[in-house]
Amino acid sequence: MAILPIRITGDPVLHSPAEPVTDFDDSLRQLVADLFETMDAAPGVGLAAPQVGVPLRIFVYGYDTDEHGPWRGVVINPEMWITPPAAGEPDEELESEGCLSFPGERFPLRRADEAIVTGVDLDQQPVEIRVDGWRARILQHEYDHLDGYLYVDRLARHERKLAAKITRKMGWGVPDVSWMPGVDNLDD
């Protein structure tokens, strides 16, 4: 297994739709193992293949809570159904999220409270996940990566302008910018 560099906003792979997975082989198993290791090292609660420069429709997730316990898995070639998000402004405390491809920042974003994701696992067995709350947010966030969207692309105007300013200040927004979990200190 290996920790992979995470691409930062502006890299073309993050802003293009990913391709379906067609080869279920040892290299796919290695990619999934590397995605889990990278997500855990970051640390994050989800990671999509485009975030490590691989333009395939696959993501991993992992989140532990007292209420639900450990929740971890992989979805390949997912499809998603969501309830419409509630109208109104997002709550900055309850609806803020961050992204490993826009590291060190968090912004409020309204998401659907419920989500259903279907796809397959590494053995091409059907997967169906029905979740709500924070877990639904995680799945929506990772699914967006597969369609070429970062959460900052969905922000309200004021927050989107602030994200653009941060992008310029940090020197992001161009190809081939990445960071290495467990090595790079993003707080500097």
Side-chain angles (χ1 to χ4, degrees), residues 21-47:
V21 173
T22 57
D23 296 326
F24 288 77
D25 55 15
D26 288 341
S27 65
L28 182 65
R29 289 186 182 285
Q30 183 62 55
L31 173 61
V32 169
D34 292 347
L35 287 170
F36 276 118
E37 187 167 351
T38 303
M39 177 186 72
D40 292 342
V45 294
L47 188 65

Short mmCIF file of all heavy atoms in Angstrom, two decimals, residues 21-47:
data_model
loop_
_atom_site.label_atom_id
_atom_site.label_comp_id
_atom_site.label_asym_id
_atom_site.label_seq_id
_atom_site.Cartn_x
_atom_site.Cartn_y
_atom_site.Cartn_z
N VAL A 21 -15.28 2.49 -14.27
CA VAL A 21 -14.31 1.41 -14.07
C VAL A 21 -14.76 0.23 -14.92
O VAL A 21 -15.93 -0.18 -14.86
CB VAL A 21 -14.22 1.02 -12.58
CG1 VAL A 21 -13.35 -0.22 -12.39
CG2 VAL A 21 -13.73 2.18 -11.75
N THR A 22 -13.85 -0.31 -15.71
CA THR A 22 -14.16 -1.48 -16.54
C THR A 22 -13.29 -2.68 -16.20
O THR A 22 -13.68 -3.81 -16.47
CB THR A 22 -14.01 -1.14 -18.04
OG1 THR A 22 -12.68 -0.68 -18.28
CG2 THR A 22 -15.02 -0.09 -18.47
N ASP A 23 -12.11 -2.44 -15.64
CA ASP A 23 -11.20 -3.54 -15.30
C ASP A 23 -11.17 -3.76 -13.80
O ASP A 23 -10.68 -2.91 -13.05
CB ASP A 23 -9.79 -3.23 -15.80
CG ASP A 23 -9.71 -3.14 -17.31
OD1 ASP A 23 -10.45 -3.89 -17.99
OD2 ASP A 23 -8.93 -2.31 -17.82
N PHE A 24 -11.69 -4.89 -13.37
CA PHE A 24 -11.70 -5.26 -11.96
C PHE A 24 -10.56 -6.26 -11.74
O PHE A 24 -10.77 -7.46 -11.76
CB PHE A 24 -13.06 -5.85 -11.58
CG PHE A 24 -14.14 -4.83 -11.52
CD1 PHE A 24 -14.72 -4.33 -12.68
CD2 PHE A 24 -14.59 -4.34 -10.30
CE1 PHE A 24 -15.71 -3.37 -12.63
CE2 PHE A 24 -15.59 -3.38 -10.23
CZ PHE A 24 -16.14 -2.90 -11.41
N ASP A 25 -9.37 -5.71 -11.58
CA ASP A 25 -8.17 -6.53 -11.50
C ASP A 25 -7.35 -6.16 -10.27
O ASP A 25 -7.79 -5.39 -9.42
CB ASP A 25 -7.36 -6.39 -12.79
CG ASP A 25 -7.00 -4.95 -13.12
OD1 ASP A 25 -7.13 -4.07 -12.23
OD2 ASP A 25 -6.57 -4.68 -14.26
N ASP A 26 -6.14 -6.70 -10.20
CA ASP A 26 -5.27 -6.43 -9.05
C ASP A 26 -4.89 -4.96 -8.95
O ASP A 26 -4.72 -4.44 -7.84
CB ASP A 26 -4.01 -7.29 -9.11
CG ASP A 26 -4.30 -8.75 -8.81
OD1 ASP A 26 -5.36 -9.04 -8.21
OD2 ASP A 26 -3.46 -9.60 -9.16
N SER A 27 -4.77 -4.26 -10.09
CA SER A 27 -4.42 -2.84 -10.02
C SER A 27 -5.56 -2.03 -9.40
O SER A 27 -5.31 -1.04 -8.70
CB SER A 27 -4.03 -2.29 -11.39
OG SER A 27 -5.12 -2.32 -12.28
N LEU A 28 -6.80 -2.45 -9.62
CA LEU A 28 -7.93 -1.77 -8.98
C LEU A 28 -7.92 -2.03 -7.48
O LEU A 28 -8.13 -1.12 -6.68
CB LEU A 28 -9.26 -2.23 -9.59
CG LEU A 28 -10.50 -1.55 -9.02
CD1 LEU A 28 -10.52 -0.06 -9.34
CD2 LEU A 28 -11.76 -2.22 -9.54
N ARG A 29 -7.63 -3.25 -7.08
CA ARG A 29 -7.53 -3.58 -5.66
C ARG A 29 -6.43 -2.75 -4.99
O ARG A 29 -6.61 -2.26 -3.87
CB ARG A 29 -7.28 -5.07 -5.45
CG ARG A 29 -8.49 -5.91 -5.79
CD ARG A 29 -8.28 -7.38 -5.44
NE ARG A 29 -9.44 -8.15 -5.82
CZ ARG A 29 -10.60 -8.17 -5.18
NH1 ARG A 29 -10.76 -7.44 -4.10
NH2 ARG A 29 -11.61 -8.89 -5.62
N GLN A 30 -5.31 -2.59 -5.68
CA GLN A 30 -4.22 -1.78 -5.15
C GLN A 30 -4.64 -0.32 -5.02
O GLN A 30 -4.35 0.34 -4.03
CB GLN A 30 -2.97 -1.89 -6.03
CG GLN A 30 -1.78 -1.13 -5.47
CD GLN A 30 -1.33 -1.66 -4.13
OE1 GLN A 30 -1.05 -2.85 -4.00
NE2 GLN A 30 -1.27 -0.81 -3.12
N LEU A 31 -5.34 0.20 -6.04
CA LEU A 31 -5.81 1.59 -5.99
C LEU A 31 -6.73 1.78 -4.79
O LEU A 31 -6.59 2.77 -4.05
CB LEU A 31 -6.54 1.96 -7.28
CG LEU A 31 -7.24 3.32 -7.27
CD1 LEU A 31 -6.25 4.46 -7.06
CD2 LEU A 31 -8.05 3.51 -8.56
N VAL A 32 -7.66 0.87 -4.55
CA VAL A 32 -8.58 0.99 -3.42
C VAL A 32 -7.81 0.96 -2.11
O VAL A 32 -8.06 1.78 -1.21
CB VAL A 32 -9.67 -0.09 -3.47
CG1 VAL A 32 -10.47 -0.13 -2.17
CG2 VAL A 32 -10.61 0.17 -4.65
N ALA A 33 -6.85 0.07 -1.98
CA ALA A 33 -6.03 0.01 -0.75
C ALA A 33 -5.28 1.33 -0.56
O ALA A 33 -5.22 1.87 0.55
CB ALA A 33 -5.05 -1.16 -0.82
N ASP A 34 -4.75 1.89 -1.65
CA ASP A 34 -4.02 3.16 -1.57
C ASP A 34 -4.96 4.31 -1.24
O ASP A 34 -4.59 5.23 -0.50
CB ASP A 34 -3.30 3.44 -2.89
CG ASP A 34 -2.14 2.48 -3.15
OD1 ASP A 34 -1.73 1.75 -2.23
OD2 ASP A 34 -1.67 2.45 -4.31
N LEU A 35 -6.19 4.28 -1.76
CA LEU A 35 -7.16 5.32 -1.43
C LEU A 35 -7.48 5.30 0.06
O LEU A 35 -7.52 6.35 0.70
CB LEU A 35 -8.44 5.16 -2.25
CG LEU A 35 -8.37 5.54 -3.72
CD1 LEU A 35 -9.64 5.09 -4.46
CD2 LEU A 35 -8.15 7.03 -3.90
N PHE A 36 -7.70 4.11 0.62
CA PHE A 36 -7.97 4.01 2.06
C PHE A 36 -6.78 4.52 2.87
O PHE A 36 -6.95 5.28 3.82
CB PHE A 36 -8.31 2.57 2.47
CG PHE A 36 -9.74 2.20 2.28
CD1 PHE A 36 -10.09 1.17 1.42
CD2 PHE A 36 -10.76 2.85 2.95
CE1 PHE A 36 -11.42 0.80 1.23
CE2 PHE A 36 -12.09 2.49 2.78
CZ PHE A 36 -12.42 1.47 1.90
N GLU A 37 -5.59 4.09 2.51
CA GLU A 37 -4.40 4.52 3.26
C GLU A 37 -4.22 6.03 3.18
O GLU A 37 -3.90 6.68 4.18
CB GLU A 37 -3.15 3.80 2.74
CG GLU A 37 -1.95 4.09 3.61
CD GLU A 37 -0.77 3.17 3.35
OE1 GLU A 37 -0.90 2.18 2.62
OE2 GLU A 37 0.31 3.48 3.91
N THR A 38 -4.42 6.60 2.00
CA THR A 38 -4.28 8.05 1.83
C THR A 38 -5.35 8.80 2.61
O THR A 38 -5.05 9.78 3.30
CB THR A 38 -4.33 8.40 0.33
OG1 THR A 38 -3.31 7.68 -0.37
CG2 THR A 38 -4.15 9.89 0.10
N MET A 39 -6.60 8.33 2.53
CA MET A 39 -7.69 8.96 3.27
C MET A 39 -7.40 8.95 4.77
O MET A 39 -7.57 9.96 5.45
CB MET A 39 -9.01 8.23 2.99
CG MET A 39 -10.20 8.77 3.78
SD MET A 39 -11.71 7.79 3.57
CE MET A 39 -11.31 6.30 4.49
N ASP A 40 -6.94 7.82 5.28
CA ASP A 40 -6.66 7.70 6.70
C ASP A 40 -5.49 8.59 7.13
O ASP A 40 -5.51 9.19 8.20
CB ASP A 40 -6.37 6.25 7.07
CG ASP A 40 -7.60 5.35 6.94
OD1 ASP A 40 -8.73 5.87 6.90
OD2 ASP A 40 -7.41 4.13 6.86
N ALA A 41 -4.48 8.71 6.28
CA ALA A 41 -3.31 9.52 6.61
C ALA A 41 -3.61 11.01 6.56
O ALA A 41 -2.96 11.80 7.24
CB ALA A 41 -2.16 9.20 5.66
N ALA A 42 -4.61 11.41 5.79
CA ALA A 42 -4.86 12.83 5.55
C ALA A 42 -5.18 13.64 6.81
O ALA A 42 -4.64 14.75 6.93
CB ALA A 42 -5.93 13.01 4.48
N PRO A 43 -6.00 13.34 7.73
CA PRO A 43 -7.06 12.34 7.71
C PRO A 43 -8.33 12.92 7.07
O PRO A 43 -8.58 14.12 7.16
CB PRO A 43 -7.29 12.06 9.19
CG PRO A 43 -7.00 13.36 9.87
CD PRO A 43 -5.90 14.01 9.04
N GLY A 44 -9.09 12.04 6.46
CA GLY A 44 -10.34 12.45 5.83
C GLY A 44 -11.42 11.44 6.10
O GLY A 44 -11.17 10.39 6.71
N VAL A 45 -12.63 11.73 5.61
CA VAL A 45 -13.76 10.82 5.78
C VAL A 45 -14.19 10.24 4.43
O VAL A 45 -15.12 9.44 4.37
CB VAL A 45 -14.96 11.50 6.48
CG1 VAL A 45 -14.60 11.87 7.91
CG2 VAL A 45 -15.44 12.71 5.70
N GLY A 46 -13.52 10.64 3.38
CA GLY A 46 -13.80 10.12 2.05
C GLY A 46 -12.70 10.55 1.10
O GLY A 46 -11.98 11.52 1.37
N LEU A 47 -12.55 9.81 0.02
CA LEU A 47 -11.56 10.15 -0.99
C LEU A 47 -11.98 9.52 -2.31
O LEU A 47 -12.25 8.32 -2.38
CB LEU A 47 -10.17 9.65 -0.58
CG LEU A 47 -9.00 10.09 -1.46
CD1 LEU A 47 -8.80 11.61 -1.38
CD2 LEU A 47 -7.72 9.37 -1.04
#
